[in-house]
């Protein structure tokens, strides 16, 4: 079991290399071991490309040649962090491929709850004569793909709340003006987070006052979709959020219209179940994860609805003495990390 855990940890390390590119697929890592030696490994390619198991097999073939690799597979264990797929999607079923290659053993981190897989991959492997074990580092594997599992089981994106507050718990100045709270390292970290998620959301007031671009300009990575709640379409057309860098989606009460630099989506009964309706629309658009960055009213909207999964709160050493109070989470942080002279508090609604 100790050896199985060792190789499964390697699968997890590989899987995160796909963060920000595989959605709406899960992040998966795979390792092929022959006589205590890794002969191939891989992780899921960007969406539409080969899965982790295929990439691991292809690496082994590239290293040893197809004939020799085929012989090695018969005596090898394949480790994979998520149940191999059992259906035709963008690619053929990985479970069928593993049976065809004649692997001796497959060790799986956790089941895939997607209806077309969910135990069917394991069944195909076992019916194909492969010794199959399930549940090695299961909790770690479940946590890794919490975004994917939330979308599949709850029919909504995984929601991350993010804000910064002073040490005396103020979120913004009393006047409608921008004032930085966090240090440069924290701001760069936020840009890294944006590159890892599908979309980022703000309210109209934040878009008007701060005029944020909501890009990853301080980090190398893809730009997320930019989502804004603008009930009465108050945001100017030349706002940074509409610069065309990435898709912009505006939830509003007035009109639906597809424009070159923004998509307007009208919500009927706008103020009724607003957070729920936004998340469901994003789910239908294959958005798997969402960072809600503000302002305070928008963050509170998701907190009050109980529609959040994770919160990342920066606390700076600054004291303002007055300002707009920051949102509140009625639980202790799961983890605290220093980011320069800022303190990052991580909360998980359910783990």
């Amino acid at each position: 079991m100790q050896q199985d855990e060792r190789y499964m940890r390697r699968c997890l390390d590989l899987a995160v290399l796909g963060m920000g590119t595989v959605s709406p697929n899960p992040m998966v890592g795979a390792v092929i071991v022959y006589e205590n030696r890794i002969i191939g490994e891989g992780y899921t390619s960007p969406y539409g490309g080969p899965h982790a198991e295929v990439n691991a097999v292809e690496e082994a073939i590239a290293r040893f040649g197809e004939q020799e690799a085929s012989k090695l597979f018969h005596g090898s264990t394949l480790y994979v962090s998520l149940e191999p797929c059992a259906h035709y999607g963008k690619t053929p079923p990985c479970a069928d491929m593993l049976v065809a290659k004649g692997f001796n053993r497959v060790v799986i981190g956790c089941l895939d709850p997607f209806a077309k897989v969910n135990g069917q991959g394991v069944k195909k492997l076992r019916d194909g004569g492969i010794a199959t074990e399930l549940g090695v580092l299961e909790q770690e594997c479940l946590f890794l793909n919490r975004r994917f599992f939330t979308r599949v089981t709850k029919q909504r994106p995984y929601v991350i709340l993010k804000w910064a507050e002073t040490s005396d718990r103020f979120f913004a100045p009393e006047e409608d003006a921008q004032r930085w709270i966090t240090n440069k390292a924290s701001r760069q970290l936020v840009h890294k987070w944006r590159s890892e998620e599908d979309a980022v959301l703000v309210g109209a007031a934040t878009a008007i006052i701060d005029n944020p671009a909501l890009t990853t300009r301080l980090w190398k990575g893809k730009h997320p979709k930019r989502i804004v709640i603008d009930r009465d379409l108050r945001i100017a057309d030349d706002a940074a959020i509409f610069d065309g860098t990435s898709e912009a989606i505006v939830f509003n009460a007035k009109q639906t219209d597809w424009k070159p630099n923004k998509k307007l989506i009208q919500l009927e009964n706008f103020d009724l179940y607003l957070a729920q309706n936004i998340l469901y629309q994003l789910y239908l658009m294959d958005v798997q994860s969402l960072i809600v960055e503000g302002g305070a009213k928008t963050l509170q909207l998701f907190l009050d609805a109980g529609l959040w999964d994770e919160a990342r709160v920066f606390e700076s050493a600054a004291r303002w003495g007055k300002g707009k109070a920051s949102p509140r989470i009625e639980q202790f942080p799961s983890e605290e990390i220093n980011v320069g002279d800022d303190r990052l508090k991580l909360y998980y609604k359910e783990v």
Side-chain angles (χ1 to χ4, degrees):
M1 179 59 74
Q2 189 173 9
Q3 179 170 283
D4 286 348
E5 289 186 357
R6 172 191 170 196
Y7 290 122
M8 190 58 70
R9 290 195 187 281
R10 178 58 182 165
C11 290
L12 292 169
D13 290 341
L14 289 165
V16 296
L17 297 176
M19 180 170 278
T21 66
V22 302
S23 177
N25 282 340
M27 296 177 285
V28 183
V31 173
I32 301 170
V33 178
Y34 178 80
E35 294 184 349
N36 297 319
R37 179 166 62 108
I38 294 176
I39 63 169
E41 59 184 23
Y43 58 94
T44 298
S45 300
Y47 181 62
H51 291 181
E53 302 94 320
V54 174
N55 286 332
V57 165
E58 291 300 321
E59 183 180 274
I61 291 172
R63 291 176 63 187
F64 298 99
E66 189 155 3
Q67 188 173 1
E68 181 63 21
S70 295
K71 293 178 183 178
L72 295 175
F73 293 153
H74 290 286
S76 295
T77 296
L78 181 134
Y79 294 85
V80 62
S81 54
L82 184 68
E83 179 183 13
C85 63
H87 67 294
Y88 281 88
K90 295 287 186 182
T91 61
C94 290
D96 289 352
M97 182 270 294
L98 297 177
V99 171
K101 295 295 183 185
F103 277 90
N104 178 59
R105 179 171 175 253
V106 173
V107 178
I108 300 167
C110 64
L111 287 175
D112 184 339
F114 184 57
K116 293 182 179 179
V117 185
N118 202 2
Q120 294 304 305
V122 171
K123 185 177 186 302
K124 281 194 171 191
L125 296 175
R126 289 174 175 166
D127 288 349
I130 298 177
T132 305
E133 296 184 34
L134 178 67
V136 175
L137 297 185
E138 182 176 28
Q139 292 306 311
E140 290 90 335
C141 292
L142 289 169
F143 184 75
L144 171 72
N145 272 312
R146 57 197 184 276
R147 298 163 179 82
F148 173 73
F149 294 140
T150 296
R151 181 178 181 273
V152 170
T153 61
K154 297 183 178 181
Q155 289 78 55
R156 66 165 175 81
Y158 185 86
V159 177
I160 301 168
L161 307 181
K162 190 280 296 181
W163 72 83
E165 61 187 25
T166 63
S167 60
D168 50 355
R169 298 196 171 180
F170 291 110
F171 175 87
E174 289 181 322
E175 67 280 6
D176 288 338
Q178 185 183 44
R179 183 177 177 184
W180 286 110
I181 295 176
T182 55
N183 61 38
K184 186 176 180 179
S186 295
R187 295 197 288 274
Q188 185 179 43
L189 180 58
V190 170
H191 285 228
K192 175 180 182 293
W193 290 344
R194 290 175 184 168
S195 75
E196 297 169 346
E197 312 303 339
D198 288 350
V200 56
L201 180 148
V202 297
T206 297
I208 292 168
I209 296 167
D210 295 347
N211 194 29
L214 301 179
T215 62
T216 59
R217 62 192 179 279
L218 299 180
W219 190 263
K220 184 178 180 180
K222 69 168 183 62
H223 302 298
K225 295 179 188 293
R226 296 173 291 184
I227 318 296
V228 63
I229 304 173
D230 186 8
R231 188 186 195 284
D232 299 312
L233 297 178
R234 296 186 296 127
I235 303 171
D237 287 339
D238 62 354
I241 201 170
F242 301 137
D243 65 3
T245 302
S246 65
E247 185 177 18
I249 300 169
V250 183
F251 289 103
N252 70 91
K254 292 196 169 185
Q255 63 174 301
T256 293
D257 187 20
W258 254 227
K259 296 184 178 181
N261 62 333
K262 60 183 173 182
K263 294 178 179 178
L264 304 179
I265 299 179
Q266 181 182 11
L267 297 177
E268 294 184 10
N269 301 315
F270 186 87
D271 297 313
L272 186 64
Y273 300 115
L274 178 57
Q276 290 88 337
N277 287 331
I278 288 173
L279 293 182
Y280 185 63
Q281 290 295 324
L282 293 178
Y283 163 77
L284 294 177
M285 299 170 77
D286 277 342
V287 172
Q288 183 166 266
S289 60
L290 173 72
I291 302 178
V292 180
E293 292 202 14
K297 181 180 177 181
T298 301
L299 288 160
Q300 199 63 50
L301 173 72
F302 287 88
L303 283 168
D304 290 345
L307 290 171
W308 65 281
D309 302 286
E310 184 176 333
R312 302 172 181 177
V313 182
F314 290 102
E315 182 183 297
S316 78
R319 295 184 65 84
W320 286 0
K322 62 179 181 177
K324 296 177 182 177
S326 61
R328 290 287 180 269
I329 294 179
E330 299 302 325
Q331 66 183 64
F332 291 107
S334 300
E335 188 177 358
E336 297 190 30
I337 303 167
N338 289 326
V339 183
D341 57 353
D342 292 338
R343 187 74 168 166
L344 173 60
K345 300 178 180 180
L346 303 177
Y347 300 83
Y348 298 98
K349 188 164 179 279
E350 298 175 6
V351 179

